[in-house]
Every structure is written in C-alpha cells, then in structure tokens.
Amino acid sequence: MKAELTFSIVTPSYNQGEFLAETIESVLGQAGDFAIDYLIVDGGSTDRSVEVIREYQRRLDQGEWPVRCREIRYRWLSEKDAGQTDALGKGFRMAEGDIFAWLNSDDTYLPGALQAVAERFEEGGDTALLYGDAQYCDARGEVIGRYRTQSYDYGKLAWFNFICQPAAFFRKEAFLAVGGLDATLHFAMDYDLWVRIARRFPCRYLPKPLANYRLHETSKTVSDRTLIANCEEAERLALKYFGWAPLTRVYNTCSARCRANLPNCFAASRVALLAAVGVCTIARSLRLNRGIRLRDLALLNRENFGKLGKSRLEIMTGNKDQDC
C-alpha cells in the first residue's frame, strides 16, 4: 500500500506583503495525492504581511479556500528573529512532514509542482534531494529568464550551484542526519545544505519547471548591498568542502568588489573594469588556492569568457540590466 506523503513547506517572511499572498496561494493551491504542512515564519513585519497571513488562515478555517490535496495544515508565527536562516530553523523544528522545502515570501510554486515531486520521490525510494527547473521573474511576475539548472553532478557543485532553492525538496531524515541548516550562514545556506546532503545521500534532477524565482531590487541575490558578502560566503564554502576556490567563484567575488569600490569613472569603463577584475581574480585565486590549480584550467572556456564584463543579473538571466 502506498505511503501517505506529507510536504512541510516553510516560508520565512519579513516585510514582503507585496508578494506574500501570491506565494501563499501557490502553496495552498497545489493539487494531488499528498498532504501539506505549511508554516509561515514572519520576522515581526511592520507592513501588511500579518494581515495577509491571517486572511488565508480565515479562509481555510471557514472553508472558503478550495483544498485540492488530501489535507492542509496551516501554521504561522510572527516575532523578531535573527534573519532568514534563523526563521527557517524555527519552521523546520516545527515541521512534521516527510519531505521538506522552503519557499521564500517572494517566490512561487508552479501548478502541479508538488504532485510531480511526490511521484518522483515515490519512484526513487532512496532519493534524499530532488530538484527541478525554475524560471526567473521580475517584481511584476513577468518571466525574465531561466535558472541554469542541469543534471546532477556532485563535482560541479564546487563552481556552480545548479540546484535552484525554490525548486528543491529533501527528505526530513536526510536534513536531520546532516544537522539541518548552518545558522551562521546568511546567504548560501541552501548551497551549504545541498553539498552536505549530496556527500552522503543520492540526489536526482527532475527536468520539469517547478517554481518561479523572483528577482527585484531588494533580493539578496542581486542587491548591491549584499552581493559581496553573498559571493564571499559561497566562495568560502566551496573552499571548505572541495578544497579549492574555483576561478568562477573568485571572479564573482572580485567582480562584485570592483563594481562596488572602483571610482565611477573606472567602473563605467568596460575595459578598466575588466582589467581591475582580472588582476583581482588572479591575485585572490593564487592566495586562496596557494598557487595555480589545474582544475581551474577547465573553467577557462568560451562560456565563462562570455560572462566577462556582464552584470550578475545579466549572467543569471541572460538579459541585460533591467528594472526588477
């Protein structure tokens, strides 16, 4: 007899009332033969986030929301926290499902996502981490690109996180076995978790669009205010787990640093910017890796050279800078 599957989805939220209703509806609207344990962990928002959260609680309680899966358990809290990773930790400690995931308060699941994931987990009984495709959208919800997901290859995680967080799902047992999320991380906690799970358990790729990953001016992924720390954290984790800081990750760090710190007259010049980033990348790579790594030679390919001088947003989406 087929076991009943329950998804525990955690949404960390702070002052994202503009997008939160769309996120919640994308979870509650999932249809299929599974149950949903949905936990929203709000960090004490000062906008209308709590009002939005309460409204969906009311709809569920009064039977106004059409439940299209076996069951929905909707829980939430709103209190001060120490950031996104702390909020996620609270949610996962409360979670009771078989399959864990988190969906940030500006991202959304695509229709049919959870049913597709449930079917694949049932087919591959030993799968600990399953990830699918995702598309980038802007603040208005318009699709602006596709996340560069690819078939699973543990070694490639060193230089590129091809596992898109809103399109990733993992078994509770694997999450607990590796110690959950690292509370000291603020940006690359997902990448860190993927690597720790992948070192011990089978991971698989589901070639199907599962989620929308929203990019806007306050996104930690693209915000100038957090970009340097974001890149440095991922670079440090690659060095920790794989024993080297790949050239691609060093380049990302140096590009972010140079764009932020060079005088405007230099940063505006593509030639000057490339020269500065190039010098910084070589120097930083030699220092972190204590010399030249032969594995970096494989990264000196046409695809990576084509990224030189492009902004992070253009590299991610394939489009030029735009108003997210």
Side-chain angles (χ1 to χ4, degrees), residues 158 191 233-246 249:
Y191 174 61
E233 195 168 89
E235 176 191 79
R236 187 168 65 252
L237 290 171
L239 185 61
K240 172 184 176 180
Y241 291 120
F242 297 94
W244 64 309
R249 295 199 178 277

Side-chain angles (χ1 to χ4, degrees), residues 284-293:
R284 187 174 179 86
S285 180
L286 290 173
R287 178 173 65 81
L288 291 175
N289 295 310
R290 300 180 181 180
I292 298 174
R293 292 295 179 105

Side-chain angles (χ1 to χ4, degrees), residues 56-322:
Y56 287 93
Q57 177 77 73
R58 185 193 66 78
R59 293 188 192 181
L60 284 165
D61 289 346
Q62 297 185 10
E64 296 178 6
W65 183 267
V67 176
R68 298 188 175 92
C69 59
R70 278 195 283 107
E71 179 186 7
I72 294 178
R73 185 179 184 192
Y74 183 92
R75 294 179 283 161
W76 64 277
L77 59 88
S78 181
E79 62 185 26
K80 294 285 186 180
D81 56 43
Q84 183 184 16
T85 312
D86 182 43
L88 287 167
K90 290 180 183 181
F92 286 128
R93 284 191 292 273
M94 296 167 60
E96 300 175 350
D98 313 291
I99 305 299
F100 283 8
W102 78 85
L103 187 69
N104 292 327
S105 52
D106 49 2
D107 299 333
T108 57
Y109 286 137
L110 294 173
L114 296 193
Q115 179 61 28
V117 171
E119 291 173 357
R120 187 55 61 93
F121 266 113
E122 288 167 356
E123 292 170 3
D126 63 342
T127 301
L129 170 65
L130 180 70
Y131 65 98
D133 295 325
Q135 53 197 22
Y136 290 118
C137 66
D138 60 18
R140 298 175 296 276
E142 299 293 330
V143 175
I144 58 174
R146 180 180 177 275
Y147 193 98
R148 292 172 54 233
T149 312
Q150 61 183 53
S151 297
Y152 177 70
D153 183 331
Y154 175 75
K156 287 186 178 181
L157 279 173
W159 65 82
F160 172 54
N161 183 13
F162 50 80
I163 301 176
C164 185
Q165 175 268 308
F169 301 81
F170 43 95
R171 291 192 185 275
K172 177 180 181 178
E173 291 85 355
F175 178 78
L176 296 177
V178 301
L181 293 172
D182 184 339
T184 68
L185 300 176
H186 300 287
F187 304 98
M189 73 290 283
D190 55 338
Y191 174 61
D192 174 75
L193 181 63
W194 310 154
V195 174
R196 285 187 286 122
I197 290 178
R199 295 170 84 182
R200 295 180 54 181
F201 301 100
C203 304
R204 291 187 172 85
Y205 168 51
L206 172 61
K208 177 181 176 63
L210 301 177
N212 286 322
Y213 188 143
R214 196 185 305 267
L215 299 176
H216 50 93
E217 60 183 12
T218 60
S219 299
K220 290 199 299 185
T221 307
V222 297
S223 171
D224 290 337
R225 183 172 57 85
T226 59
L227 184 54
I228 296 175
N230 192 334
C231 292
E232 289 180 344
E233 195 168 89
E235 176 191 79
R236 187 168 65 252
L237 290 171
L239 185 61
K240 172 184 176 180
Y241 291 120
F242 297 94
W244 64 309
L247 204 60
T248 49
R249 295 199 178 277
V250 177
Y251 172 82
N252 287 339
T253 297
C254 290
S255 178
R257 282 185 165 190
C258 290
R259 288 175 184 272
N261 298 318
L262 281 176
N264 290 337
C265 58
F266 288 99
S269 167
R270 188 170 187 272
V271 174
L273 180 63
L274 281 175
V277 174
V279 171
C280 176
T281 300
I282 293 172
R284 187 174 179 86
S285 180
L286 290 173
R287 178 173 65 81
L288 291 175
N289 295 310
R290 300 180 181 180
I292 298 174
R293 292 295 179 105
L294 293 179
R295 285 175 290 183
D296 271 328
L297 298 180
L299 301 179
L300 298 175
N301 53 45
R302 183 174 180 180
E303 179 184 1
N304 286 328
F305 273 114
K307 300 174 185 176
L308 297 178
K310 293 183 178 180
S311 70
R312 183 172 177 83
L313 183 61
E314 188 176 357
I315 291 172
M316 290 169 62
T317 65
N319 300 317
K320 292 187 179 297
D321 288 342
Q322 53 193 289

